Amino acid sequence: MTTPIRIGALISGTGSNLDAIMAACESGGINGRVVFAGADNPSAAGLKKAENRGIPTFVVDYSGIIRSYKADPDPARLPADFNEADIRTRQHLAGDSDRLRTFLQTRAIAEAALLEQMAACPFDLLVLAGFMRNLTPYFIDRVNTEENRPRIMNIHPALLPAFAGTDGYGDTFRYGCRIGGCTVHFIDYGEDSGPIIGQRCFAIKEGDTLETVKKKGLALEWELYPECIRLFAENRLQTVKMTWTLPDGKVTQRNVVRIVD
Ligand code: GAR
């Protein structure tokens, strides 16, 4: 039996995935426990779900931070260890523009506040459970400190790499897809682009609405996320860099997850 893992969670809303994860820890489905739940806004209803189970919670008010920095962009407010040039070369989120500067600066302030809160509760795995903020290399590199050992997971409401972004089920439904699904993946420097750990899919039939699609998808998320976390807790996820030669002779590389016995 391996040591139980400590799971930190970040949320933005209802927290039904967080609920499923906490329940799986309690029932023994995951050999671990949730050690904190943090949110990017004070009205995230999922915080209450964690508090009801006696799990520490915190809020880093992203909107407030962004508003206040835009009103007074004093560089002294940036974290002392923020190196914008370095982060620019690594992030895959946006192009090279002034908007990117504001984005990286405001996120670094918010992410430094997240890291400070999280420092009080050491964790082995950080799960994003409906956390609607992109994380930048400033944060990711301070959590992923061991090479080839990613430890930030996300659940996305679509079959990646299709429909990255903030409205996976909506984008799937409006496109007219016959199949929808959800994906759990490790976070990398891009948007919903990291190595895939697990996926589930469901049929979209005549008569389905966006509401029924979301309902079918969420029911699968509540199974898939605990299952992927269980594999992490059992130390069964390996990230390996694969090299492929494409039909046109070009060589491409990608980190993929292998599930080992
Ligand atoms: C879930 O559908 C999750 O896949 C999605 O937000 C919802 C959160 O529900 N996440 C994203 O879109 C991330 N980009 P919950 O708060 O009830 O777990």
Side-chain angles (χ1 to χ4, degrees):
M1 188 76 175
T2 48
T3 316
I5 59 161
R6 299 161 299 180
I7 303 162
L10 295 179
I11 62 170
S12 296
T14 316
S16 69
N17 276 286
L18 172 63
D19 220 13
I21 294 164
M22 294 187 297
C25 290
E26 283 167 11
S27 70
I30 296 171
N31 183 22
R33 66 194 164 90
V34 176
V35 291
F36 67 78
D40 67 334
N41 72 86
S43 50
L47 290 173
K48 193 95 195 99
K49 294 187 166 82
E51 280 159 17
N52 289 343
R53 285 175 148 105
I55 292 167
T57 62
F58 61 81
V59 174
V60 170
D61 178 6
Y62 265 62
S63 299
I65 288 171
I66 294 165
R67 232 185 354 260
S68 122
Y69 188 75
K70 281 184 176 167
D72 173 23
D74 178 355
R77 302 174 69 186
L78 296 168
D81 57 358
F82 174 66
N83 180 337
E84 187 181 324
D86 176 55
I87 287 171
R88 267 179 187 257
T89 60
R90 276 177 295 138
Q91 64 83 32
H92 297 163
L93 292 169
D96 186 22
S97 64
D98 278 352
R99 279 185 66 190
L100 174 62
R101 156 158 298 169
T102 309
F103 173 81
L104 293 177
Q105 292 182 340
T106 52
R107 292 326 182 268
I109 297 172
E111 290 173 355
L114 277 182
L115 290 163
E116 195 182 321
Q117 294 282 350
M118 286 160 44
C121 301
F123 62 93
D124 303 296
L125 173 69
L126 180 66
V127 296
L128 309 182
F131 186 63
M132 303 306 282
R133 302 284 179 178
N134 286 315
L135 294 167
T136 76
Y138 177 82
F139 181 92
I140 295 169
D141 290 351
R142 283 164 179 75
V143 175
N144 288 339
T145 47
E146 274 181 63
E147 209 180 341
N148 294 328
R149 293 239 349 130
R151 58 183 192 123
I152 311 174
M153 266 187 204
N154 180 43
I155 187 147
H156 183 74
L159 289 173
L160 292 172
F163 307 124
T166 53
D167 191 13
Y169 292 135
D171 292 340
T172 302
F173 181 66
R174 285 185 291 270
Y175 198 89
C177 294
R178 304 293 186 197
I179 302 276
C182 51
T183 304
V184 171
H185 63 98
F186 283 120
I187 288 292
D188 70 2
Y189 296 147
E191 184 175 24
D192 303 319
S193 57
I196 289 173
I197 300 163
Q199 294 185 300
R200 283 284 182 289
C201 64
F202 58 88
I204 301 176
K205 301 196 170 136
E206 291 306 320
D208 265 324
T209 61
L210 181 52
E211 281 61 44
T212 61
V213 163
K214 281 186 178 165
K215 207 168 152 195
K216 289 183 197 184
L218 268 173
L220 293 179
E221 292 186 33
W222 302 331
E223 294 173 10
L224 177 65
Y225 215 173
E227 207 174 298
C228 293
I229 296 170
R230 176 176 58 79
L231 291 171
F232 183 96
E234 292 170 353
N235 211 10
R236 292 178 56 201
L237 300 178
Q238 261 179 16
T239 308
V240 287
K241 190 178 281 297
M242 301 295 290
T243 304
W244 309 100
T245 304
L246 301 175
D248 63 4
K250 286 192 186 128
V251 173
T252 182
Q253 284 195 320
R254 179 163 174 86
N255 284 332
V256 297
V257 170
R258 293 262 170 270
I259 300 173
V260 294
D261 287 332

